[in-house]
Amino acid sequence: MTFNATLIAGSFAVVEPHGTKITKYFYEHLFDNNPGVRGLFARHMEDQEDRLWNALGGLVANLEDTEVVVRILRSLGARHVGYGALPEHFPAVGASLLATLRHFAGEAWTPQIEESWTALYGVITATMSEAMTEPAAGPGGASRSG
């Protein structure tokens, strides 16, 4: 399954006016449904919410440029190793991302949009997971600053 960049961009444009309400909802959903991951995050989430919002926006804005998307995702994967994240966390994150987008898109959310976001998330997890397993991403290879 491949993602449709037009559907992704269009659906993101629908939710984008909600701004960081989206990331607040995302983390609430993630922690409510997966309390074991809460310890991977700082107590105060404002900076993390901003980083997630910027990463989503950057990803969506560059979907047509494979090189940029891969660079963004590999960098995220390498940094997430330093946070204690594991590829096993990705299904929970993906479920919360889809639930969040579905919530804010409302009636504009369609099965085709869900399929496209699911396919994109598959690319995200595969690329980040690959970067997470590379030696440079191991302990000491990533910092918690980004």
Side-chain angles (χ1 to χ4, degrees):
M1 176 175 22
T2 59
F3 66 86
N4 179 317
T6 302
L7 285 177
I8 297 288
S11 61
F12 191 73
V14 169
V15 302
E16 196 170 19
H18 297 284
T20 55
K21 289 180 187 175
I22 292 169
T23 54
K24 286 184 188 315
Y25 184 97
F26 165 81
Y27 285 113
E28 287 174 11
H29 187 279
L30 180 64
F31 299 153
D32 286 350
N33 290 284
N34 305 278
V37 302
R38 181 63 182 97
L40 298 174
F41 296 88
R43 192 168 142 217
H44 299 287
M45 293 295 295
E46 293 81 12
D47 289 342
Q48 179 63 36
E49 291 165 1
D50 289 342
R51 282 194 298 271
L52 175 59
W53 182 245
N54 291 332
L56 274 174
L59 184 65
V60 171
N62 289 290
L63 284 178
E64 300 292 339
D65 190 336
T66 304
E67 270 186 47
V68 171
V69 169
V70 169
R71 189 171 58 243
I72 290 169
L73 295 175
R74 291 182 64 73
S75 175
L76 286 170
R79 284 197 317 257
H80 277 71
V81 169
Y83 307 149
L86 300 169
E88 293 80 27
H89 296 129
F90 288 148
V93 171
S96 290
L97 178 63
L98 288 174
T100 300
L101 294 169
R102 188 181 314 115
H103 172 80
F104 283 97
E107 292 180 12
W109 193 257
T110 66
Q112 294 81 14
I113 291 171
E114 177 129 1
E115 287 175 15
S116 200
W117 274 100
T118 300
L120 175 59
Y121 193 70
V123 170
I124 291 169
T125 60
T127 307
M128 286 181 65
S129 292
E130 182 180 298
M132 291 171 85
T133 61
E134 292 176 354
S143 73
R144 193 168 177 102
S145 64

